[in-house]
């Protein structure tokens, strides 16, 4: 892509005037969504609100039911030009809210067979409210838009319920990036680890790939007093846990990218004097490079299998690929820095890599994308001490939301302006 240098257009000033007038509305949307959170693939009410809003703004197209509950809207500008996409995920989490707010969630839901509290503990309520605000503002100024803006609201970013498909991967499979195909995509995530007024970005690999690891260790059950009569899967599992520590520390070139292999659950045995037949281990693998990701998968598998053989047990390794590495296109990122600097001023910061993962990465596999972080911890509080995303105490400073609206609105407009001029 060959972007022309970005300077603030006359449209940019008009956008800011309109954005300043919708803060109360964005906060009201966010509070309503926060009080009515819905789990992945169950975002029926949320998707309905989004679709109605886009239709009321006179969008040229509003597709619903994409990847179960996803919504895709298209706003054609008054002037010819390329297509840019903006994304906001809609799902809440199986978390019981502990924040004392008049609009705190009291919702319950069912998650993998269990009744759970439901909360917007990752702040996706903010993402939806922000993008609804962007839609309103861009629709108001559509006559001056040099191209089209695609609004993508996917479900189930936090993974669909067990057995379900969903999220961005399925949105892509169901054509969210086709007819028309955008040439760039922007998204943001709220984070309590940054202060209100800050915008964090990073070129290149930014968030990790996330893969699920399961190892089934099979031995041969016997009396705990006579281990030689069987094969002990517990000792084998212990060796596997320690053996896996060497995959990152001894075989990954850590000067290139970091990586993580974690075993988070081990289950096996029922009482002290029985060596069980089977131990189940579960873990997660995080990387910032797709080749490294494949290499680590291969090493984890060979090592666990070999440790099993060495103990006369068997280790069956199953690695499920969840989300790819979130890679911010370096050229696109560089081209948009002036825009981000304009909207965030001194609040623009280069942030370190995050070992969490994002399904925005599936969109970035198809079109160049930029994913940024919006600080939501109120002034005067230390973001390092704030409850992180996914905590039942995760708290959003609503004064931060308007910067989110400005960020996405200006990224889209400036990109259209520059990309159109470069052609
Ligand atoms: Zn999350
Ligand atoms: Zn999230």
């Amino acid at each position: 892509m060959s972007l022309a240098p970005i300077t603030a257009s006359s449209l940019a000033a008009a956008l800011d005037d309109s954005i300043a007038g919708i803060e109360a509305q964005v906060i009201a949307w966010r509070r309503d969504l926060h009080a009515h959170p819905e789990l992945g693939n169950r975002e029926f009410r949320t998707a309905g609100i989004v679709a109605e809003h886009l239709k009321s703004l006179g969008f040229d197209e509003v597709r619903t039911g994409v990847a179960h509950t996803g919504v895709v809207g298209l706003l054609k500008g008054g002037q010819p030009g390329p297509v840019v996409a903006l994304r906001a995920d809609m799902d809440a989490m199986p978390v019981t809210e502990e924040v004392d707010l008049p609009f705190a969630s009291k919702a319950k839901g069912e998650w993998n067979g269990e009744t759970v509290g439901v909360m917007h503990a990752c702040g996706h309520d903010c993402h939806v409210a922000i993008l609804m605000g962007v839609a309103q503002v861009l629709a108001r100024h559509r006559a001056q838009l040099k191209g089209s803006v695609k609004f993508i609201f996917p479900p189930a970013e936090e993974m669909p319920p067990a057995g379900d498909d969903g999220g961005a991967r399925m949105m892509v499979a169901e054509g969210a990036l086709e007819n028309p195909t955008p040439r760039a995509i922007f998204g943001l995530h709220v984070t309590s680890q940054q202060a209100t007024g800050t915008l964090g970005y990073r070129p290149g690999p930014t968030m990790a790939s996330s893969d699920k690891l399961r190892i089934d260790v099979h031995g041969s059950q016997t009396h705990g007093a006579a281990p030689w009569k069987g094969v002990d899967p517990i000792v084998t599992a212990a060796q596997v846990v320690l053996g896996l520590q060497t995959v990152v520390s001894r075989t990954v070139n850590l000067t290139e990218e970091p990586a993580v292999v974690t075993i988070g659950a081990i289950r096996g045995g029922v009482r002290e004097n029985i060596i069980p037949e089977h131990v189940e281990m579960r873990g997660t693998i995080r990387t910032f490079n797709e080749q490294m990701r494949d290499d680590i998968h291969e090493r984890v598998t060979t090592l666990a299998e070999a440790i099993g053989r060495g103990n006369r047990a068997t280790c069956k390794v199953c690695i499920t690929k969840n989300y790819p590495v979130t890679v911010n296109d370096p050229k696109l990122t560089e081209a948009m820095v002036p825009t981000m600097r304009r909207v965030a001023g001194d609040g623009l910061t280069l942030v370190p890599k995050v070992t969490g993962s994002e399904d925005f990465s599936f969109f970035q596999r198809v079109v160049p994308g930029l994913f940024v972080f919006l600080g939501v911890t109120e002034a005067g509080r230390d973001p390092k001490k704030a409850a992180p995303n996914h905590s039942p105490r995760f708290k959003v400073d609503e004064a931060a939301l308007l910067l989110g609206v400005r960020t996405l609105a200006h990224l889209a407009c400036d990109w259209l302006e520059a990309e159109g001029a470069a052609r």
Side-chain angles (χ1 to χ4, degrees), residues 93 121-122 124 157-158 189 357-358 389-390:
M93 308 193 73
C122 204
H124 299 181
E157 193 284 325
E158 303 282 359
H189 207 300
S357 65
E358 246 299 329
N389 293 49
H390 292 200

Side-chain angles (χ1 to χ4, degrees), residues 189 191 193-203 206 328 333 336-337 339-354 370-376 383 403 407:
H189 207 300
T191 172
Q193 306 304 292
Q194 287 174 211
T196 293
T198 62
L199 188 64
Y201 79 100
R202 181 171 190 88
T206 298
N328 286 333
T333 308
M336 302 323 292
V337 165
T339 301
M340 295 192 284
R341 175 79 60 205
R342 205 177 68 230
V343 297
D346 291 342
L348 184 67
T349 46
L350 189 64
V351 291
K353 288 175 181 138
V354 177
L370 172 60
F371 193 68
V372 296
F373 302 98
L374 181 72
V376 292
L403 177 57
T407 300

Side-chain angles (χ1 to χ4, degrees), residues 35-58:
H36 301 96
E38 296 172 297
L39 291 168
N41 284 357
R42 307 287 181 267
E43 305 90 338
F44 304 110
R45 180 181 182 275
T46 309
I49 290 170
V50 167
E52 276 317 303
H53 179 60
L54 301 185
K55 282 179 196 160
S56 78
L57 295 172

Side-chain angles (χ1 to χ4, degrees), residues 37 39 42 93-94 106-118:
L39 291 168
R42 307 287 181 267
M93 308 193 73
K106 294 175 185 68
K108 293 256 184 280
E110 200 186 297
W111 188 250
N112 297 338
E114 275 179 57
T115 301
V116 291
V118 182

Side-chain angles (χ1 to χ4, degrees), residues 226-361:
W228 56 88
K229 290 187 174 169
V231 174
D232 188 346
I234 288 185
V235 169
T236 307
Q239 290 183 2
V240 170
V241 172
L242 292 181
L244 292 186
Q245 304 310 307
T246 64
V247 172
V248 172
S249 71
R250 303 293 86 178
T251 67
V252 169
N253 182 345
L254 293 168
T255 64
E256 285 173 8
E257 291 292 354
V260 177
V261 177
T262 290
I263 296 294
I266 299 186
R267 201 174 320 170
V270 285
R271 55 177 287 169
E272 71 279 3
N273 60 356
I274 300 173
I275 289 170
E277 185 86 11
H278 170 234
V279 170
E280 176 193 318
M281 309 166 72
R282 285 168 184 270
T284 186
I285 300 172
R286 309 288 167 124
T287 71
F288 290 91
N289 171 298
E290 294 293 335
Q291 182 59 50
M292 208 178 259
R293 182 187 191 190
D294 289 341
D295 290 348
I296 290 176
H297 289 187
E298 199 270 322
R299 282 174 205 140
V300 164
T301 305
T302 1
L303 188 58
E305 286 174 355
I307 291 171
R309 273 198 302 280
N311 286 287
R312 296 180 300 138
T314 56
C315 288
K316 196 163 154 273
V317 180
C318 178
I319 299 172
T320 313
K321 281 189 165 183
N322 285 343
Y323 295 164
V325 183
T326 301
V327 183
N328 286 333
D329 185 87
K331 270 196 195 136
L332 178 66
T333 308
E334 196 190 326
M336 302 323 292
V337 165
T339 301
M340 295 192 284
R341 175 79 60 205
R342 205 177 68 230
V343 297
D346 291 342
L348 184 67
T349 46
L350 189 64
V351 291
K353 288 175 181 138
V354 177
T355 49
S357 65
E358 246 299 329
D359 77 352
F360 187 77
S361 50

